[in-house]
Amino acid sequence: MFSEKVTLINPQGFHMRPASLIVGEAAKFNATVTLVHNGKEIPGNSLMAMMAEGIKCGEELEIRAEGADEEAAVKAIVAFIAGGMGDL
């Protein structure tokens, strides 16, 4: 398993478009991706679970992945979140 932490910087927080992009990004890799927010594990392939969590600007996430592409998956998703998820 590989993991990294990242702080959500976009003012809108998690909303439908970036959450769907994260699901799409996670699907590109041969790894199971999980987001951890306030101790709750969110499947990286579940748009509805991400939206239900209500993750807001300034909150920290841990991105975890397990599988052949685990490090690449985590780094790609962390870079997307750290870059503002296309909202900045």
Side-chain angles (χ1 to χ4, degrees), residues 1-4 6 14 19 21-37 40-47 49-50 61-78 80-81:
M1 182 180 76
F2 186 81
S3 71
E4 284 188 20
V6 62
F14 254 58
L21 292 173
I22 288 173
V23 169
E25 190 66 23
K28 294 178 184 177
F29 297 95
N30 185 13
T32 300
V33 176
T34 305
L35 287 70
V36 182
H37 176 250
K40 183 175 180 184
E41 293 187 0
I42 306 160
N45 63 353
S46 176
L47 177 62
M50 285 184 210
L61 292 168
E62 180 181 1
I63 311 303
R64 295 180 185 166
E66 189 168 347
D69 297 333
E70 59 192 31
E71 187 172 349
V74 169
K75 291 193 175 293
I77 294 169
V78 165
F80 177 68
I81 294 170

